[in-house]
Amino acid sequence: RKEVEQDPGPFNVPEGATVAFNCTYSNSASQSFFWYRQDCRKEPKLLMSVYSSGNEDGRFTAQLNRASQYISLLIRDSKLSDSATYLCVVRRRPSLGNEKLTFGTGTRLTIIP
Amino acid sequence: DGGITQSPKYLFRKEGQNVTLSCEQNLNHDAMYWYRQDPGQGLRLIYYSQIVNDFQKGDIAEGYSVSREKKESFPLTVTSAQKNPTAFYLCASGTGGSLNYGYTFGSGTRLTVV
């Protein structure tokens, strides 16, 4: 089983709609969680960290469920510019002074005019 | 402006050649990382360094080498021993401190074997 799993999509969503992605992780020792956005042929860019209490940044809401080991990203009022691949990222420290960041393969989102 | 710079953007390598990818950051980050991304796959960790003069193998280190002589620089050499080097290579840096901070990535180097 992969350490981080995402539905690869593609998700084709009309402009203005709400879309949600889930991501599951297998290691219960995972300590912090992120969503990154990656445009075609570009580097990943941090979209938001995911906190235990859930957090919101404008149209984006992230949730964490530690008991079920999944995180989610909700995008409201989607814009054409939201079209990208969204990467789920999980971080843990297997030993002192050592850390491991594991990336999901990404979910591709296309917003349709 | 602070950031992380990778060069070159595109690199072509002949069979049997070693090539070196540059990564420089002026973010004063202690930790630096090299990832490889293949189409349809997630990022895979090649090497990482938490402090100067120290580095550790990641999940796919075979056929690669690194050095960390300066805090700002973490070059990656793709050796002839790497059998399938064509990929998108991404360098990242991080504070290595607070777990709630993500990494900053460079714009990547696309390596193609010709």
Side-chain angles (χ1 to χ4, degrees), chain B residues 13 16-18 61-64 78-85:
Chain B
R13 190 195 94 168
Q17 272 186 340
N18 293 354
E62 186 176 349
Y64 300 98
V78 184
T79 74
S80 56
Q82 171 46 241
K83 298 306 177 191
N84 185 20

Side-chain angles (χ1 to χ4, degrees), chain B residues 2-112:
Chain B
I4 181 166
T5 302
Q6 288 186 243
S7 63
K9 193 172 179 70
Y10 298 96
L11 185 58
F12 298 90
R13 190 195 94 168
K14 291 183 180 178
E15 296 274 358
Q17 272 186 340
N18 293 354
V19 291
T20 298
L21 283 57
S22 170
C23 178
E24 304 276 333
Q25 55 100 358
N26 61 3
L27 298 165
N28 200 33
H29 284 168
D30 289 312
M32 296 186 75
Y33 309 84
W34 274 105
Y35 288 89
R36 168 182 173 142
Q37 189 175 35
D38 295 279
Q41 296 197 34
L43 277 69
R44 292 184 290 166
L45 182 63
I46 304 172
Y47 266 99
Y48 63 100
S49 169
Q50 303 280 9
I51 56 171
V52 175
N53 292 323
D54 187 54
F55 49 83
Q56 307 293 331
K57 291 182 179 180
D59 300 317
I60 54 164
E62 186 176 349
Y64 300 98
S65 65
V66 293
S67 62
R68 185 86 187 277
E69 296 175 5
K70 299 186 302 182
K71 187 175 185 178
E72 301 80 15
S73 179
F74 190 40
L76 173 75
T77 296
V78 184
T79 74
S80 56
Q82 171 46 241
K83 298 306 177 191
N84 185 20
T86 295
F88 187 36
Y89 289 87
L90 289 156
C91 180
S93 69
T95 60
S98 169
L99 283 170
N100 286 326
Y101 287 100
Y103 295 172
T104 301
F105 282 86
S107 57
T109 293
R110 289 197 180 274
L111 174 63
T112 303

